Amino acid sequence: MLCATATAGYICRVNISTAGALIMDDFDLSQVEMGRIFSGFLLGYALFQVPAGMLADRWGARRILAMSSWLWVGSTAVQAIIGWGPIQTTLNAALMALVISRFVLGITESPTYPGAARGISKWILPKFQGRANGIVISSIGLGSALAPLIVSNVMVHWGWRIAMLVSGIPALVIAILWLTIREPEAVQSTQINNGKIQDKNVLNLKTSLLSRSFILLTLSYTLQGYVGYIFVTWFYLYLVQERHFDLLSGAWMSSLPWLLSIISIPLGGWISDRLAAGRPGLIWGRRAVPLIGMSASGIMISIGAHTGSALIAAVSLAFATALILSVESPFWTTMMIMSGSRSGMAGGIMNMGSNIGGFISPALTPILAEYFGWENSLHIAAGLAIIAAILWVGVGTDRKDPG
């Protein structure tokens, strides 16, 4: 259910990326203005990560995610009717309405992964949390693969408004299902020490959030978010407008990175669990996947940006996306080791960093492309992916950190 919920939320999140080509035509929007709409979501999503995490710690994963699912349905419906029929408006007002509606959707989506992190930390034994995180975060690939196929096939027949409404149906199903599901009992993850119950594998929250390791972890996740959100928001439009794929073939090609990510994200979690439990140990076991995955992603981004072949570019950037997302599980699992029962709040802080990067990249990327070209703007993203990988060398080096 955690994975299905996050998948439904991700469809509502990225539906506008596929519908964006027709929305831009309807409202005569430029790439820079479309970037503002993309960033509207990410601003609301980033600002409310910490409050959402605190609510998840207080109310529990099931309750916060059930409530959020209902709000996704309403927010998606509002976007679909902007400028429609009796609600006709000026182009500037429509742009503002789209930005505001996406901002509100971002607020309602903010509990998704902090809430899931709270559920995993409560319901899953620590030795399996890497795999559990991989399964839940594979929703990024599932949602992003399904959205272009759903939205593009509906909008070419009935327009982008009906496509947006249809994309909210999975969230409606999830919202109804949560009403019928009982929350599982918490796993026993405590131990007795000198007569006091202590949460094992957990540091003091204030210490861990002020440690060098947590700061570097959050900085690395911020850069990873910058790079990842370029593909979440701009990949389909880049293929259609810059690489000249048609609407349907662009939709199929833009689904490729997310299909690959359905494999790469859980695989990254499984490899991380195995390495952490094996000879490399906890620190290098968690470091290995981010170091290799983000570095390789940077290389593939540069290859895709530079090649003259549209097909090679699409395939290279698809693998770059799968690699940059393969590191999600080690980020979240390492955060849980540091924060334990306060994983909702700590996950909110870390995810806020990612989405600050994600807020900047959709708006900044077309501006960089306008001045320096799309190739150079993607080379910048490649360099940031490699820097994000290097920062992991400092994660786990504090004396008070686990391992």
Side-chain angles (χ1 to χ4, degrees):
M1 275 301 293
L2 292 177
C3 180
T5 302
T7 300
Y10 227 86
I11 292 172
C12 293
R13 181 186 309 198
V14 302
N15 53 13
I16 200 168
S17 298
T18 304
L22 295 187
I23 293 174
M24 291 171 72
D25 288 341
D26 266 13
F27 296 112
D28 194 26
L29 301 175
S30 67
Q31 286 188 347
V32 172
E33 288 170 329
M34 199 66 203
R36 292 173 188 162
I37 295 172
F38 291 152
S39 290
F41 169 89
L42 291 161
L43 179 61
Y45 189 71
L47 289 177
F48 282 81
Q49 283 295 305
V50 176
M54 295 173 69
L55 287 174
D57 286 336
R58 184 176 181 85
W59 291 352
R62 191 193 68 83
R63 184 186 295 182
I64 191 72
L65 292 176
M67 181 177 66
S68 296
S69 301
W70 288 107
L71 295 174
W72 301 341
V73 177
S75 298
T76 302
V78 168
Q79 294 170 61
I81 64 173
I82 291 173
W84 168 76
I87 317 176
Q88 291 288 342
T89 184
T90 65
L91 296 182
N92 285 336
L95 173 61
M96 182 61 66
L98 285 167
V99 171
I100 292 172
S101 64
R102 293 295 294 180
F103 176 80
V104 173
L105 179 65
I107 294 173
T108 65
E109 292 247 16
S110 60
T112 306
Y113 292 105
R118 177 69 183 114
I120 290 171
S121 68
K122 184 178 179 182
W123 304 329
I124 306 295
L125 291 170
K127 65 180 180 179
F128 298 124
Q129 286 178 356
R131 276 160 274 193
N133 276 307
I135 291 169
V136 172
I137 302 172
S138 66
S139 60
I140 296 174
L142 283 167
S144 298
L146 291 172
L149 300 178
I150 294 170
V151 173
S152 63
N153 282 282
V154 174
M155 75 181 185
V156 296
H157 293 99
W158 295 289
W160 67 268
R161 298 181 190 279
I162 300 299
M164 293 287 281
L165 290 173
V166 170
S167 70
I169 292 175
L172 178 61
V173 173
I174 292 298
I176 294 170
L177 284 176
W178 273 120
L179 298 177
T180 68
I181 290 176
R182 181 179 179 182
E183 184 169 340
E185 295 182 2
V187 297
Q188 295 298 316
S189 59
T190 57
Q191 60 185 5
I192 304 297
N193 188 13
N194 295 326
K196 297 181 180 180
I197 297 178
Q198 296 182 337
D199 197 349
K200 64 183 179 182
N201 293 326
V202 177
L203 301 177
N204 176 272
L205 182 63
K206 292 182 180 180
T207 301
S208 64
L209 298 190
L210 294 176
S211 70
R212 179 175 60 183
S213 286
F214 189 80
I215 292 170
L216 290 176
L217 189 74
T218 303
L219 286 174
S220 180
Y221 205 47
T222 300
L223 296 179
Q224 189 260 9
Y226 178 97
V227 178
Y229 270 104
I230 291 175
F231 299 105
V232 170
T233 54
W234 279 108
F235 190 52
Y236 177 78
L237 291 175
Y238 171 77
L239 294 181
V240 171
Q241 296 180 346
E242 303 298 325
R243 293 293 185 171
H244 308 299
F245 287 86
D246 62 46
L247 289 177
L248 288 179
S249 63
W252 282 103
M253 289 305 300
S254 67
S255 292
L256 178 59
W258 312 116
L259 294 172
L260 293 172
S261 297
I262 294 170
I263 300 171
S264 71
I265 296 173
L267 182 61
W270 179 79
I271 292 172
S272 180
D273 275 351
R274 293 297 298 270
L275 292 175
R279 181 173 296 180
L282 181 62
I283 294 177
W284 279 104
R286 296 302 181 196
R287 281 179 188 162
V289 173
L291 279 169
I292 296 171
M294 290 190 287
S295 297
S297 177
I299 294 169
M300 296 301 293
I301 290 171
S302 285
I303 292 172
H306 183 70
T307 182
S309 167
L311 181 60
I312 293 174
V315 173
S316 296
L317 294 174
F319 277 95
T321 308
L323 286 165
I324 200 71
L325 294 176
S326 70
V327 306
E328 290 282 349
S329 179
F331 272 106
W332 285 87
T333 306
T334 302
M335 176 278 297
M336 289 177 186
I337 293 171
M338 294 181 180
S339 58
S341 61
R342 301 299 299 276
S343 293
M345 178 181 174
I349 294 171
M350 187 183 75
N351 208 27
M352 180 177 67
S354 172
N355 287 280
I356 288 173
F359 167 71
I360 294 170
S361 68
L364 182 59
T365 299
I367 294 173
L368 293 174
E370 186 176 321
Y371 283 96
F372 306 110
W374 271 97
E375 179 178 344
N376 288 325
S377 68
L378 291 177
H379 284 318
I380 291 170
L384 293 177
I386 293 172
I387 293 171
I390 294 171
L391 289 175
W392 265 84
V393 175
V395 174
T397 58
D398 296 305
R399 289 185 179 180
K400 294 183 179 181
D401 279 359

